[in-house]
Amino acid sequence: MSSIGRPVSPDQSNKLLVIDDQPDLCEFISEAAAGLGFESKGVTDPEAFRRAVQEFQPSVVVLDLQMPGADGIELLRYLGERGSKAQILVASGMDQRVLATAQQIGKAHGLQMLGALQKPILLADLEATLRQCLSSDTPISAAALTAALDKREIIVHYQPKATRIAPNRWIVEGVEALARWNHPSLGFVSPVRFIPLAEKNGLIRRLTEQVLETALSQCRAWDAVGLQLSVAINLSPQLLNDLAFPDQVARMAAQVGADARRIIFEVTESAAMFDPGTTMDVLTRMRVKNFGLSIDDFGTGYSSLKQLYLMPFSELKIDTSFVRDVFAHEDARTMVETMVLLAHKLRLTACAEGVESQEVLDFLDSVGCDRAQGYFIGRPMAGTALEIAVREWNSRQK
Ligand code: C2E
Ligand code: MG
Ligand code: MG
């Protein structure tokens, strides 16, 4: 039976535990959490943390990576050993690479890693992240997700991807399809939440088919009004172990008369790629069928150089974490520039994600990045709104 709609039981309620050796930061985070409806508790030393994990049973843990007497990595191991089901956020003043590695370590311990908070922590960022944890706490089950697929509650939003057709001229020629669960009582549930649930419960193939089907029919609707756009679909690495997948997507595209060249599959790396031979077979057959293949979140723990070198990608997507920091850290600028160069040397298109300002777009222009995606160009939105937004954006580029 679906657990949606049932009252939240106490062990699943919104309880946030923060550990940070700086008492003022602990207080800042606990207060922000309390303001959002969490029961919150802050501790400054590892012993108190271990006690609180047992007695308080948090549903969300915010963990400082560097503390005297213990480090966050040790505490991640402790949470893993206890089989903690809490959503975990790591906080640190260290660079993005350390934060990304901590995420990987947490996942290897079987923990639900929700993301990272880069210090200094801004209140708006903190609240936005914690809100995600709040809704994450409302129990959703595999049965509820199955019912949602039956009822077609998984809908698709589209985010514009702009192509640099000349210096300082970025025209939207494509979109990325992003799944949302339009839940009758919870509102929009984030894919960050239900994709892992789909992957764990054998529902990811069905979900992907629905997203692809919806996106292809949306493309036809745009075609009908004279808007020709390519569409990128996110693929769970699990599907790359399915030898029948390339033929199935080719059939689906042929049925609606869609040109494979206008469909790009975005993939990340994961433990699910346990069989590199099969993955390579599937990806190569997709390329042979003329689908585009993009390596998503490149530069994070989810996409590696080895994967880039081995697999037949056509696009490299530079992760948001680098793009967002180009004006804060010189290293991030170097990374973005180098990733663009690497993509070009490997004859791939470079696409930057997370472009939130004109300045960042100008920087990408100056380093010759081919594509850009982010809130500055357009947020993910419904198909009809997208049409208007794209026309507006493109008309300003003339
Ligand atoms: P992704 O494929 O890397 O998608 C980009 C994410 O970054 C999207 O979050 C998008 O809303 C967000 N984003 C775009 N521009 C900006 C920006 O300027 N600033 C910031 N801060 N964020 C930006 P979203 O929609 O929540 O999706 C999260 C992830 O969920 C996706 O990451 C993708 O890995 C996964 N996902 C979404 N739809 C599907 C799907 O149909 N199938 C699979 N397997 N995964 C999906
Ligand atoms: Mg993507
Ligand atoms: Mg990405």
Side-chain angles (χ1 to χ4, degrees), residues 65 73 76 90 92 94-107 113 115-118 297 299-303 319 321-322:
L65 276 186
I73 303 295
L76 283 175
V90 287
S92 169
M94 298 183 82
D95 68 29
Q96 292 287 343
R97 278 166 284 185
V98 178
L99 287 170
T101 310
Q103 298 289 316
Q104 289 298 100
I105 294 172
K107 282 192 178 159
M113 303 304 293
L117 289 166
Q118 176 96 49
D297 304 340
T300 68
Y302 300 107
S303 290
D319 189 64
S321 55
F322 301 99

Side-chain angles (χ1 to χ4, degrees), residues 212 216 244-254 265 286 289 291:
L212 181 61
L216 290 180
F245 192 70
D247 286 331
Q248 195 206 347
V249 291
R251 248 191 332 268
M252 283 173 76
F265 290 101
M286 304 267 256
K289 290 175 195 299
F291 292 109

Side-chain angles (χ1 to χ4, degrees), residues 145-146 148-149 152 154-156 178-181 191 194-199 202-214 233-234 236 239 252:
L145 185 55
T146 307
L149 287 163
R152 290 267 172 177
I154 306 297
I155 61 151
V156 182
L178 293 157
R180 268 100 185 85
W181 182 350
F194 64 83
I195 297 291
L197 187 70
E199 287 173 337
L203 296 169
I204 192 66
R205 183 163 173 168
R206 209 173 145 213
L207 189 147
T208 309
E209 281 164 15
Q210 279 198 12
V211 170
L212 181 61
E213 222 173 84
T214 309
I233 306 284
N234 288 284
S236 161
L239 291 171
M252 283 173 76

Side-chain angles (χ1 to χ4, degrees), residues 338-380:
T338 309
M339 285 189 252
V340 170
L341 201 68
L342 176 66
H344 290 168
K345 287 265 184 201
L346 296 173
R347 296 168 302 281
L348 309 181
T349 301
C351 176
E353 292 193 82
V355 179
E356 294 189 357
S357 67
Q358 177 72 59
E359 290 71 29
V360 171
L361 191 63
D362 291 344
F363 168 74
L364 294 169
D365 201 273
S366 73
V367 297
C369 189
D370 310 284
R371 288 188 191 139
Q373 180 180 347
Y375 295 167
F376 178 69
I377 299 156
R379 287 184 177 253

Side-chain angles (χ1 to χ4, degrees), residues 176 234 266 268 295-298 317-320 353 373:
E176 176 173 5
N234 288 284
E266 297 191 2
T268 51
I295 182 166
D296 205 353
D297 304 340
F298 188 74
K317 281 191 100 172
I318 303 168
D319 189 64
T320 311
E353 292 193 82
Q373 180 180 347

Side-chain angles (χ1 to χ4, degrees), residues 229-247:
L229 296 170
S230 66
V231 63
I233 306 284
N234 288 284
L235 269 198
S236 161
Q238 257 183 36
L239 291 171
L240 305 179
N241 292 318
D242 183 346
L243 285 169
F245 192 70
D247 286 331

Side-chain angles (χ1 to χ4, degrees), residues 20 70 77 92 218 223 233 355 376 395:
D20 198 304
R77 189 182 331 119
S92 169
Q218 180 62 64
D223 279 352
I233 306 284
V355 179
F376 178 69
S395 68

